[in-house]
Amino acid sequence: MRLFSDESEFAVDMSNMKLTHVPKDLPPKTKILDISQNSISELHISDLSYLSGLKVLRLSHNKIWYLDFSIFKFNQDLEYLDLSYNQLQNISCHLITSLKHLDLSFNDFDVLPICKEFGNLTQLHFLGLSATKLRQLDLLPIAHLHLNYILLDLEGYYAKETESLQILNTKTLHLVFHPDQLFSVQVNISVNSLGCLQLTNIILNNDNCEVLTKFLSGLTRGPTLLNFTLKHMKTTWKCLVRIFQFLWPKPIEYLSIYNLTIVGSIDEEDFHYSETALKALKIEHVKNEVFIFSQTVLYTVFSEMNIMMLTISDTPFIHMLCPPPSNAFKFLNFTQNGFTDSVFQNCSQLVRLETLILRKNKLKSLHKVGLMTKHMTSLEILDVSGNSLEYDRDDGDCTWVGSIVVLNLSSNILADSVFRCLPPKVKVLDLHDNRIRSIPKPIMKLEALQELNVASNSLAHLPDCGTFSSLSVLIIDSNSISNPSGDFFQSCQKIKSIRAGNNPFQCTCELREFVQSLGQVSSEVVEGWPDSYKCDYPENYKGTPLKDFHVSQLSCNTTLLLVTVGVTVLGLTVIVTALCIYFDLPWYLRMMCQWTQTRRRARNIPLEELQRTLQFHAFISYSEHDSAWVKNELVPWLEKEDIRICLHERNFVPGKSIVENIINCIEKSYKSIFVLSPNFVQSEWCHYELYFAHHSLFHEGSNNLILILLEPIPQNCIPSKYHKLRALMTQRTYLEWPKEKNKHGLFWANIRAAFNMKFTYLFERDRASECTQK
């Protein structure tokens, strides 16, 4: 069981399942039930009574031999009932007022199965019937109904006498005869307001041709019959021409013949092209079983017809003659024949022709196709698709009639050169399924071109609208476009519809602008978006819809990337430079360099020699503004305690740099005394001395710093670059010079304690030095 459902219908398809009875487990909500092509022979009321919402029931191609319409009394919504191709011989009627389509054709009825209840089927549009014999009043119960379509199956009709049948009201009458017997039906059928007549299975020879024309006499008499169709017709050429001649003066406007087989011989027949109401003759799928005949005889009958539209398709015709000057042809369709480049060459008689279709023939030269149209001054639509057309520039310049506005050149073998051989005023051009790789520049300007179809070629780029200034519809799917231009919509501002899906898009930076431009236009403009637009490369993006492909502008724009990196580096440089200046990093680097150089030199001096270089107990660092206190208070007291001191004004070696003198003095002293004050903070050289002394502290692992706070220093007065001074004052104990004289003794005691060390080695060395000098 196959179930199909949507918002309004619930369908069950159980066709061709070898069923012998109607299944009992059908969904109660079923509205469409198809159980055709099975082996069901009987129907019971219980089979369908619970399907109260059933609207469509298909029971064709079963083995039902009897039907009681009362089984449908619980299916009050039933509109479509198909019981064709069964074995029905009798029916029992019951009114089903909702029926619109009732098909009882291709059954075994002896007479037409019409009940008086059918007269109340006021909604009935289609009625299919079967019978082996006809009676004039068989359809009287439904005479008042206005039907759209009556299908009358007369395959088993065998009446030996002429019968009559009156069909009062129907728009279309379709009669089906036996497929393997000569047409022999002799019945007078009269129909009111018949608009379309269709006969199927007509077999004729020269002897029974008049039987058909006589049969048609009554049916074609009315002025309303405009369409006449013959299907599956087998006849001689002579009989076919006689049928044409019979129909020529009739009011029929459209004559169609499908599946025509010509047998016997094809000889010249007289045909009088009198005035006719016929506008169009269509003959499709012709099989010619006559192998030796005059081509001229065959083609002349059609080429000289005084009608506006002629279609002869899927036939073995290899040529068509140029019609006489009096021809009225406006439409010619010769699809799927064997026409070659010689057709209509040098034919100047088709001046009224507006549409010419030569699809699926054997045309090869586009240049000759252009020449063929030279005299067709009214030609607007030309279809030569499905041939083997190509254009060779050696053939010379192309000549086209200037009136062509629609040209179909699809499914040929045309290359890029086709754009140099086109009608100048063409508006709709179909070139899909060819061998076009590119649209060459320069080419003839097709300023009137509005619609261009170049799908299924090998194009690598979207066209430039500079050549097609009026282009509004472009179909270019299934090509080789990988990186379409992002400015396409800017150059083609008149585009109202583009279909460019199913191309091998390379999802790289080059595609970014095109994807953005697609997102900016309406979905009605871009057909197939987004389902048909997918990445083909790189492999990790393959199958990804273009709408989901995102890449940043920074990674795609090299210039922008370089600018961004440059600005970032420059910004970082500015920040680092500012920090360096803020923290006086250049000064520290210079000091570190000096310190490193001095330590390197000291590393090469032996330890004994380095120890012999110690000459002072203390190096005093102070600001010149504090020199009075240093010289009047500190130095006298230290020297009174036999502490040898180093002062810059008396111990710096002339000729050496100040930095080197500072380092040497610090290294030649056990201690370094720093007299701290607001003046000290403002002295850069004092800070140098403190910096090197601090490094010496860490290098030697000693405690050689003595900090004397001469005057209080507020933390906010210490410059930020002197962060070492801030750290030392926070981390280390300093001696503060008291203002009260009674506390000076304690201060000097702390100084003495700070110098609580053995000077024996230094004094002994000094005395030894003095003895040597003596």
Side-chain angles (χ1 to χ4, degrees):
M1 180 186 300
R2 295 178 290 275
L3 303 179
F4 308 92
S5 64
D6 55 30
E7 295 181 355
S8 60
E9 295 182 338
F10 195 93
V12 178
D13 183 0
M14 301 187 70
S15 61
N16 198 21
M17 297 182 68
K18 299 181 180 179
L19 300 175
T20 57
H21 61 274
V22 179
K24 301 294 184 181
D25 57 348
L26 297 173
K29 294 183 179 180
T30 300
K31 293 185 177 182
I32 300 176
L33 176 60
D34 187 351
I35 48 178
S36 61
Q37 301 183 61
N38 284 290
S39 299
I40 300 172
S41 58
E42 291 183 325
L43 294 176
H44 304 282
I45 191 170
S46 60
D47 294 337
L48 303 169
S49 59
Y50 63 97
L51 303 178
S52 58
L54 189 65
K55 289 185 176 182
V56 176
L57 177 59
R58 294 186 175 95
L59 280 162
S60 63
H61 296 89
N62 275 283
K63 298 180 180 179
I64 302 172
W65 56 276
Y66 174 76
L67 178 65
D68 186 349
F69 274 85
S70 64
I71 66 173
F72 303 118
K73 65 181 179 180
F74 296 107
N75 308 112
Q76 294 300 313
D77 295 332
L78 188 62
E79 298 177 355
Y80 186 103
L81 179 59
D82 185 358
L83 287 158
S84 61
Y85 294 97
N86 276 277
Q87 299 173 6
L88 288 171
Q89 297 178 2
N90 294 292
I91 60 173
S92 178
C93 294
H94 180 83
L95 180 62
I96 309 174
T97 57
S98 57
L99 274 180
K100 297 180 181 179
H101 182 107
L102 175 60
D103 193 352
L104 298 171
S105 61
F106 302 99
N107 278 282
D108 296 337
F109 295 111
D110 187 26
V111 296
L112 293 178
I114 297 296
C115 306
K116 63 179 181 179
E117 288 83 358
F118 285 6
N120 294 320
L121 300 178
T122 56
Q123 299 184 57
L124 193 64
H125 297 315
F126 178 96
L127 179 60
L129 302 170
S130 291
T132 58
K133 57 184 178 180
L134 301 175
R135 295 176 298 186
Q136 184 174 3
L137 301 179
D138 279 347
L139 298 178
L140 184 61
I142 61 171
H144 59 285
L145 299 179
H146 295 274
L147 302 175
N148 287 334
Y149 199 109
I150 291 181
L151 170 61
L152 189 55
D153 163 34
L154 297 177
E155 284 190 2
Y157 183 78
Y158 60 89
K160 296 181 180 179
E161 298 179 356
T162 301
E163 297 179 336
S164 298
L165 178 65
Q166 187 175 8
I167 304 175
L168 296 180
N169 296 297
T170 186
K171 294 180 180 179
T172 300
L173 176 61
H174 184 186
L175 303 176
V176 181
F177 304 100
H178 197 285
D180 299 318
Q181 295 179 2
L182 286 173
F183 184 82
S184 59
V185 176
Q186 300 183 34
V187 57
N188 295 323
I189 300 177
S190 59
V191 186
N192 293 338
S193 304
L194 183 62
C196 300
L197 175 63
Q198 180 173 327
L199 306 183
T200 299
N201 299 331
I202 306 295
I203 301 179
L204 302 170
N205 57 27
N206 294 337
D207 297 329
N208 74 331
C209 194
E210 290 186 5
V211 177
L212 177 62
T213 56
K214 185 178 180 180
F215 175 79
L216 293 175
S217 297
L219 289 171
T220 59
R221 186 180 300 114
T224 58
L225 181 61
L226 302 180
N227 291 274
F228 181 34
T229 301
L230 296 165
K231 285 187 175 181
H232 301 287
M233 182 179 186
K234 186 175 184 179
T235 180
T236 61
W237 172 251
K238 182 176 182 178
C239 184
L240 180 62
V241 173
R242 289 171 64 183
I243 293 173
F244 286 155
Q245 191 70 77
F246 169 79
L247 296 174
W248 217 251
K250 301 296 181 181
I252 297 172
E253 294 184 356
Y254 300 93
L255 173 61
S256 301
I257 303 177
Y258 300 97
N259 296 298
L260 171 65
T261 301
I262 300 177
V263 297
S265 61
I266 298 178
D267 300 313
E268 185 174 357
E269 303 291 338
D270 292 332
F271 192 93
H272 302 287
Y273 299 99
S274 57
E275 290 189 12
T276 180
L278 192 65
K279 295 179 179 179
L281 170 63
K282 177 188 291 185
I283 303 177
E284 292 187 1
H285 191 68
V286 177
K287 181 180 180 181
N288 187 7
E289 296 184 355
V290 182
F291 301 106
I292 300 176
F293 61 94
S294 170
Q295 300 282 342
T296 303
V297 170
L298 180 65
Y299 303 144
T300 299
V301 171
F302 297 106
S303 65
E304 295 185 358
M305 287 184 172
N306 53 338
I307 58 178
M308 290 189 296
M309 293 179 281
L310 175 62
T311 297
I312 302 177
S313 64
D314 193 13
T315 72
F317 289 11
I318 60 174
H319 192 64
M320 181 54 60
L321 299 176
C322 182
S326 59
N327 78 87
F329 289 128
K330 290 186 176 182
F331 177 96
L332 291 177
N333 182 356
F334 298 112
T335 298
Q336 203 168 345
N337 286 281
F339 290 4
T340 63
D341 293 330
S342 62
V343 67
F344 297 138
Q345 291 294 333
N346 300 316
C347 179
S348 59
Q349 316 299 336
L350 293 169
V351 293
R352 297 182 181 87
L353 188 62
E354 298 175 356
T355 300
L356 176 59
I357 301 174
L358 296 173
R359 185 188 305 127
K360 294 183 179 180
N361 278 275
K362 296 183 179 180
L363 307 178
K364 294 183 177 181
S365 172
L366 183 61
H367 180 266
K368 291 184 178 180
V369 170
L371 288 176
M372 176 191 69
T373 68
K374 183 177 180 180
H375 301 290
M376 301 176 183
T377 54
S378 300
L379 187 64
E380 295 182 354
I381 301 174
L382 175 61
D383 184 351
V384 287
S385 60
N387 284 277
S388 301
L389 289 172
E390 55 185 336
Y391 172 61
D392 189 346
R393 297 188 66 181
D394 295 337
D395 293 337
D397 295 336
C398 290
T399 301
W400 293 89
V401 66
S403 57
I404 296 178
V405 293
V406 178
L407 177 59
N408 190 342
L409 294 171
S410 62
S411 300
N412 282 286
I413 54 175
L414 295 164
D416 303 355
S417 58
V418 66
F419 288 97
R420 295 186 172 90
C421 182
L422 293 172
K425 296 182 181 180
V426 63
K427 293 182 179 180
V428 180
L429 178 60
D430 190 345
L431 284 166
H432 84 268
D433 190 20
N434 275 282
R435 300 179 181 179
I436 302 171
R437 295 182 176 273
S438 65
I439 299 177
K441 296 181 181 179
I443 63 172
M444 58 184 299
K445 287 194 174 183
L446 301 174
E447 297 180 351
L449 187 64
Q450 298 176 2
E451 298 183 21
L452 175 62
N453 185 347
V454 285
S456 302
N457 279 281
S458 301
L459 289 167
H461 303 284
L462 293 174
D464 182 8
C465 286
T467 305
F468 314 120
S469 57
S470 301
L471 191 64
S472 61
V473 177
L474 175 63
I475 302 174
I476 196 169
D477 55 324
S478 302
N479 273 274
S480 301
I481 299 174
S482 57
N483 293 308
S485 173
D487 60 357
F488 170 77
F489 288 100
Q490 294 180 354
S491 63
C492 301
Q493 297 185 359
K494 294 184 179 180
I495 285 290
K496 297 179 180 178
S497 175
I498 179 174
R499 190 166 73 218
N502 301 312
N503 275 290
F505 295 112
Q506 292 188 10
C507 290
T508 57
C509 288
E510 289 76 7
L511 193 66
R512 181 175 176 273
E513 292 185 7
F514 178 72
V515 175
Q516 288 180 339
S517 63
L518 286 180
Q520 294 172 357
V521 298
S522 171
S523 58
E524 297 178 357
V525 174
V526 185
E527 294 188 29
W529 176 266
D531 297 337
S532 300
Y533 296 77
K534 296 181 180 180
C535 298
D536 186 70
Y537 178 88
E539 195 65 28
N540 58 322
Y541 277 111
K542 191 168 186 176
T544 302
L546 294 194
K547 69 180 181 66
D548 297 331
F549 170 68
H550 304 289
V551 60
S552 66
Q553 183 178 1
L554 183 62
S555 60
C556 291
N557 192 326
T558 305
T559 303
L560 181 61
L561 180 61
L562 293 176
V563 170
T564 303
V565 172
V567 170
T568 303
V569 171
L570 181 60
L572 290 174
T573 303
V574 171
I575 293 173
V576 171
T577 303
L579 291 173
C580 290
I581 294 174
Y582 181 77
F583 292 108
D584 204 15
L585 183 62
W587 181 86
Y588 283 109
L589 291 176
R590 291 197 305 271
M591 295 304 102
M592 182 60 72
C593 183
Q594 292 283 356
W595 173 259
T596 303
Q597 291 176 359
T598 304
R599 298 308 303 174
R600 187 181 295 112
R601 288 197 300 270
R603 195 177 293 116
N604 296 327
I605 301 174
L607 180 61
E608 295 78 4
E609 183 178 350
L610 186 62
Q611 290 177 342
R612 288 196 297 269
T613 63
L614 293 174
Q615 299 176 7
F616 307 101
H617 294 111
F619 168 70
I620 301 176
S621 175
Y622 60 93
S623 171
E624 284 297 325
H625 297 286
D626 301 325
S627 60
W629 182 84
V630 172
K631 294 178 181 179
N632 297 329
E633 298 284 347
L634 182 61
V635 171
W637 187 88
L638 291 174
E639 289 181 340
K640 183 178 70 174
E641 294 291 327
D642 293 330
I643 295 175
R644 185 175 298 175
I645 60 176
C646 178
L647 296 173
H648 66 272
E649 64 266 19
R650 66 187 184 188
N651 295 107
F652 275 14
V653 179
K656 290 186 177 181
S657 67
I658 296 176
V659 173
E660 191 171 358
N661 273 311
I662 293 173
I663 295 174
N664 288 334
C665 285
I666 292 174
E667 290 184 340
K668 290 178 180 181
S669 304
Y670 277 110
K671 296 284 186 177
S672 294
I673 300 174
F674 291 89
V675 181
L676 305 179
S677 69
N679 298 320
F680 182 93
V681 170
Q682 301 301 322
S683 172
E684 188 172 357
W685 290 114
C686 290
H687 189 60
Y688 290 167
E689 294 166 351
L690 178 63
Y691 176 82
F692 289 122
H694 186 251
H695 269 277
S696 177
L697 166 68
F698 283 98
H699 177 71
E700 298 175 3
S702 60
N703 188 11
N704 61 358
L705 291 182
I706 298 176
L707 303 179
I708 297 175
L709 184 62
L710 184 60
E711 295 179 14
I713 305 174
Q715 283 288 327
N716 57 0
C717 292
I718 302 176
S720 59
K721 67 179 182 178
Y722 295 161
H723 59 90
K724 289 190 179 298
L725 176 59
R726 288 174 179 267
L728 285 172
M729 292 188 68
T730 303
Q731 299 171 2
R732 301 181 67 86
T733 302
Y734 53 84
L735 301 176
E736 187 174 358
W737 172 252
K739 300 297 181 183
E740 301 85 354
K741 287 188 177 182
N742 58 349
K743 295 181 179 180
H744 287 182
L746 180 60
F747 172 81
W748 296 120
N750 287 331
I751 292 292
R752 187 181 294 109
F755 278 96
N756 184 20
M757 61 180 184
K758 296 179 180 180
F759 297 117
T760 305
Y761 171 76
L762 183 60
F763 293 146
E764 289 179 353
R765 191 196 67 182
D766 291 345
R767 284 196 295 267
S769 176
E770 292 175 356
C771 292
T772 301
Q773 291 177 0
K774 292 179 180 179

